[in-house]
Amino acid sequence: MVTRQIVEMNQYFTNDTKPGFIVLYEKMITNEISFTPHGIQEGRTEIEEYVKILKDNEGNTLTEIESYRLDNNYQSLEDLLYSIKQLNKEFFKVKEMAV
C-alpha cells in the first residue's frame, strides 16, 4: 500500500493569476508500507514536490489544469515557477504598460 502526506503547501502568484486560477506548491512524502505477521513494515520513502495550476469552479471544487514536478529538469523552485509563468501565459494577467 502507498500512503501520501502533504507536509507543505503554498500558493504563488496570487496577484498575478486571472480570476478563478490558483498556482499551488505541494511537498509530500510518499511511503510504501506493507503488512506482515509482525506488524506494519515501511518500505521506500520518497519526497515529491509539485507546482499545480488549478481552476476554481465557483468555490465548490478545484480542477487540476497542469502539474509540474520539481525534479532534475529545474534547478530550484524559483526556476520552476518562472518556467510555469512563461509556459502558461493564458492563466496570468497581462500587465498593462504605462503610457
Side-chain angles (χ1 to χ4, degrees):
M1 177 167 77
V2 176
T3 63
R4 289 188 170 159
Q5 295 176 301
I6 296 176
V7 294
E8 186 178 341
M9 184 183 299
N10 291 312
Q11 186 174 346
Y12 288 92
F13 304 124
T14 54
N15 295 322
D16 296 335
T17 53
K18 290 180 179 176
F21 292 97
I22 298 168
V23 177
L24 191 68
Y25 164 80
E26 292 180 343
K27 182 177 186 177
M28 63 181 88
I29 297 175
T30 303
N31 290 321
E32 290 183 12
I33 59 170
S34 58
F35 299 98
T36 68
H38 305 289
I40 298 173
Q41 180 177 348
E42 279 193 50
R44 193 177 82 200
T45 299
E46 187 176 321
I47 296 175
E48 299 172 319
E49 296 175 273
Y50 292 92
V51 176
K52 299 177 180 184
I53 299 175
L54 307 171
K55 182 171 183 345
D56 184 354
N57 300 310
E58 299 179 16
N60 297 322
T61 59
L62 297 173
T63 302
E64 184 177 299
I65 305 295
E66 296 285 346
S67 180
Y68 298 89
R69 184 171 180 176
L70 182 58
D71 56 18
N72 294 335
N73 294 323
Y74 305 99
Q75 294 179 6
S76 65
L77 177 58
E78 290 76 22
D79 184 36
L80 175 55
L81 291 169
Y82 177 81
S83 295
I84 287 171
K85 201 163 184 182
Q86 296 305 307
L87 294 170
N88 299 282
K89 293 182 180 189
E90 67 272 22
F91 303 120
F92 293 90
K93 297 176 187 173
V94 176
K95 296 199 186 245
E96 295 182 22
M97 296 181 69
V99 179

